[in-house]
Amino acid sequence: MPQFILAYHGKPDVQSPEQGAELMRHWKVWQDGLGDAISGPSTPTGASKTLTPDGVVDGGGVNRLSGITILQADSIEDAIVRAKSNPHLSGTGTIEIAEAIELDM
């Protein structure tokens, strides 16, 4: 079954510790609902740097990467359906979805 990378950008709208805890509960429900389709837990990211041919830029740009999930799905359309209920989509959060391509090297 193909694997898809769900790359999280931006951040959910969290205004208090209580809202953060509620968001984490929603994440757990979302992940648990996918069962074996997720390869390991979703992984948040910290501060980033972008390597370019001209050097290193701090911060990852305007819409920085904030985490990833590796998801097994039948197609990119199936991955989209599975990701639509992801709690990251609150606030300014977006999810970029791309198929992970296996190469024989």
Side-chain angles (χ1 to χ4, degrees):
M1 182 175 294
Q3 289 189 326
F4 295 86
I5 299 165
L6 279 58
Y8 304 109
H9 297 276
K11 60 182 183 174
D13 186 21
V14 175
Q15 302 295 322
S16 69
E18 295 79 18
Q19 287 179 337
E22 184 66 17
L23 180 69
M24 289 298 100
R25 281 192 288 280
H26 288 289
W27 265 96
K28 182 166 177 23
V29 168
W30 178 77
Q31 286 189 157
D32 290 351
L34 293 172
D36 292 341
I38 288 186
S39 298
S42 298
T43 306
T45 58
S48 65
K49 296 187 179 282
T50 301
L51 181 61
T52 72
D54 298 323
V56 179
V57 178
D58 288 337
V62 176
N63 199 16
R64 77 167 191 83
L65 181 68
S66 54
I68 64 164
T69 298
I70 306 299
L71 174 70
Q72 293 182 355
D74 293 327
S75 64
I76 196 164
E77 291 80 12
D78 183 33
I80 290 167
V81 168
R82 293 169 182 248
K84 279 186 175 180
S85 61
N86 186 298
H88 185 76
L89 294 172
S90 68
T92 63
T94 63
I95 303 172
E96 179 180 352
I97 301 173
E99 185 172 357
I101 305 296
E102 286 191 40
L103 298 177
D104 293 326
M105 297 179 99

